[in-house]
Every structure is written in C-alpha cells, then in structure tokens.
Amino acid sequence: MTTSDPGGGAGPRAATNWVVPAGAGAEDGFDLAVVAGEREGWSHTSLWTVTLAAGESRTVTAPGQELLVVPLSGGTEVSVGSTVDGETFTLTGRPDVFAGPTDVAYAPLDTPVTLTSADGGRFAVCGATTDVVLPARHLPAADVPVELRGAGQSSRQVRNFGTVGVLDAGSIIACEVITPGGNWSSYPAHKHDEESEHESALEEIYYFEVQEGPQGQPGLGFHRTSSTPAGEIDVLHEVRDRDTVLVPHGWHGPCTAAPGHDMYYLNVMAGPGAERAWLISDHPDQTWVRSTWEHQEIDPRLTEGD
C-alpha cells in the first residue's frame, strides 16, 4: 500500500510512481511536471503547473500532444505557436481555484504554448497524446458548464471546461471538482481501464489543492486507488495541498475532504481508444449509494454558478 506522511506533516514526504507530493515533481522551473511517456506505465496524459512572477513567461513544448491551459490563480496571456503566425488569447483567470470556474485556452497537436502573466499567478497546462489536429481556441468562463453531482455528504461541484460535448479535442478530457469539507467525491469508486461498450480505457491525473484552516492550519483529505483485473495497484494517500495522484488503472475513489477543509482537484484523462469518451463502471460494493441521493438535498454550500 502506498502511504505518505504518516507522521502528520513533519518532514518530507516520499514520492512513489503513482503519488507525487507537493514539490516532489518540480522540474525545469515548473512546480510539477508529469509528462506522458516519461515514467514506466504512464503513456497518455501530462500535467505541468507553474508559478510566474509579475511579467514572467514560461513555455511548454510537448511533441505529440494537445494542450489545455487552466489558470489556478491570476490571469495570463497565452501565445499558441510561433510569434510570427501564432495566436494569442487573454485568460482572465480567477483569484484562486475555489473562487469559481475559469476561462481556458486550447492548443493543437505539436503546438507550444507560452504563458506570460502581467501580475503573476499560478497556472496548469494539461496535455494528452493525440494524432488529431484541431484549431486553437479560447473558452470563456461563462461558457463552462457547472454541474452538481451526488447529494448530502456525497455532494460536489464539477466544472466541465474540457469534457466531451463542451470542448472539441482529440483525446484530452479535463474537468475540476470542488468537494466541501467533510464530503466524499469520486464516490462510488469507479474505473475506466478497459475498452468496451460500457467503459473507456483512460489514464487519469488528480491534482489537488486543499484549503487551510481559519488560522492557516494545513488542510488534508484522502485518496484511494485499488486493483482491478487491468492491474495491481494499492494507493491510500493522505492528500495535502498541491499533491498529485496518478491513476494508470484501478478502482479510484473515494476522495474525502477533512471537515473544515474544502478540497479541489483537477482531473486530466486520456487513453488509447479511437473514441474520445468517458465511460465508467461503478465499484459493485459501492454503487448502491446512488439510490440514496434522491432522498437527500444537495449540500447548500455548493451552487451551480459561483
């Protein structure tokens, strides 16, 4: 079983192949760099996060991938392609990930993106392998569908800026989830690790941010991944702010947020299938919980539009 930080926060936490604690994935000026094809058993999805000072720029080049720029805090100019014949999009962004949806920018296959932030901020660049070429474009925050899932203590808010039917793309599927403190999300546990009429084969990245307590106490939660016929995996991770968990296969969920600490995660998915689809199977021991939601109210801390 993979665990991190059993001592309750003292000292550094070790990275494993599927868990990247905050800071452990820093590389080449990025706070996090998980790149498709650069670790054993990981082939289709990438995620970079970066902190830019005022006026600073950073370029992401990812051959064989399409890219999606997601502001985490602050706004940025996104240059897609060369300075001669490329396009530039202004992303307004947001104060932080708990403040509501953000606008995003999509960059086509084999096209680098350069982020420049006048006031500074933190940004994510999601990537996925593909052979499909589509035009660059900007999706305004107002066009991001916001969905409330579950009910009661399984209530969560999903912002579908990069899902099928919202963003036309070759293979990437991306969204973000807000789980209020004390609630469970990615529940029932589910899987998408084989191609069938009922399921898609997709890798998935979970990048977390967790709100502090009222006096700056560090937040926490938990993430679980367990084995399926597609492969052995056993991850139980105490999630802290800016941790990342990779799901190559397996039942994944629940993700739980400790009371008093709202949890955010950014999901990035892609796989080898010919069809871009997100089809899942519920864990048979947990799917019953869906039948209880019709008798419960949505958590009042959540809204359909922040």
Side-chain angles (χ1 to χ4, degrees):
M1 179 175 293
T2 297
T3 60
S4 295
D5 198 23
R13 297 178 295 152
T16 75
N17 202 43
W18 309 127
V19 175
V20 187
E27 182 180 304
D28 297 331
F30 292 93
D31 303 327
L32 172 72
V34 172
V35 182
E38 292 191 0
R39 65 177 62 213
E40 185 178 356
W42 197 255
S43 304
H44 302 286
T45 54
S46 299
L47 180 64
W48 297 262
T49 66
V50 63
T51 302
L52 297 181
E56 191 175 11
S57 296
R58 189 64 44 84
T59 298
V60 174
T61 301
Q65 299 187 56
E66 58 189 349
L67 300 174
L68 188 60
V69 180
V70 182
L72 301 171
S73 64
T76 181
E77 295 282 327
V78 179
S79 298
V80 178
S82 72
T83 56
V84 176
D85 57 4
E87 297 182 69
T88 298
F89 303 105
T90 300
L91 298 187
T92 302
R94 54 193 167 181
D96 59 65
V97 296
F98 297 99
T102 182
D103 49 350
V104 300
Y106 172 85
L109 171 66
D110 290 333
T111 308
V113 295
T114 299
L115 283 62
T116 304
S117 181
D119 299 319
R122 294 191 308 106
F123 308 94
V125 180
C126 314
T129 59
T130 187
D131 57 7
V132 176
V133 180
L134 294 166
R137 56 202 176 279
H138 169 250
L139 179 70
D143 292 345
V144 174
V146 176
E147 171 190 3
L148 300 183
R149 289 186 191 163
Q153 286 187 285
S154 298
S155 302
R156 59 270 203 187
Q157 181 198 75
V158 185
R159 303 165 183 161
N160 290 302
F161 56 77
T163 53
V164 178
V166 176
L167 180 77
D168 193 17
S171 66
I172 196 168
I173 299 172
C175 64
E176 53 190 15
V177 178
I178 298 294
T179 308
N183 284 12
W184 294 46
S185 60
S186 287
Y187 183 63
H190 56 280
K191 75 181 185 79
H192 39 73
D193 57 14
E194 60 180 322
E195 285 292 329
S196 72
E197 62 178 317
H198 306 294
E199 195 172 319
S200 309
L202 300 168
E203 294 176 345
E204 185 163 11
I205 299 174
Y206 278 72
Y207 165 77
F208 293 90
E209 298 199 8
V210 186
Q211 279 191 328
E212 295 181 339
Q215 297 178 353
Q217 302 94 333
L220 75 155
F222 290 91
H223 170 97
R224 177 75 170 127
T225 308
S226 59
S227 301
T228 64
E232 294 293 317
I233 189 169
D234 195 356
V235 175
L236 176 58
H237 177 60
E238 181 180 304
V239 171
R240 298 299 184 97
D241 189 50
R242 306 186 196 182
D243 285 358
T244 302
V245 178
L246 308 180
V247 182
H249 52 256
W251 301 112
H252 47 289
C255 293
T256 63
H261 299 284
D262 292 351
M263 173 188 285
Y264 161 95
Y265 52 83
L266 169 63
N267 286 145
V268 186
M269 292 172 275
E275 181 184 5
R276 179 177 175 247
W278 185 68
L279 302 176
I280 68 169
S281 298
D282 281 349
H283 194 296
D285 294 343
Q286 299 174 19
T287 192
W288 66 270
V289 76
R290 293 186 185 274
S291 66
T292 69
W293 295 345
E294 61 185 282
H295 305 298
Q296 301 179 63
E297 299 294 328
I298 297 287
D299 190 315
R301 293 173 291 178
L302 294 173
T303 64
E304 290 185 327
D306 284 332

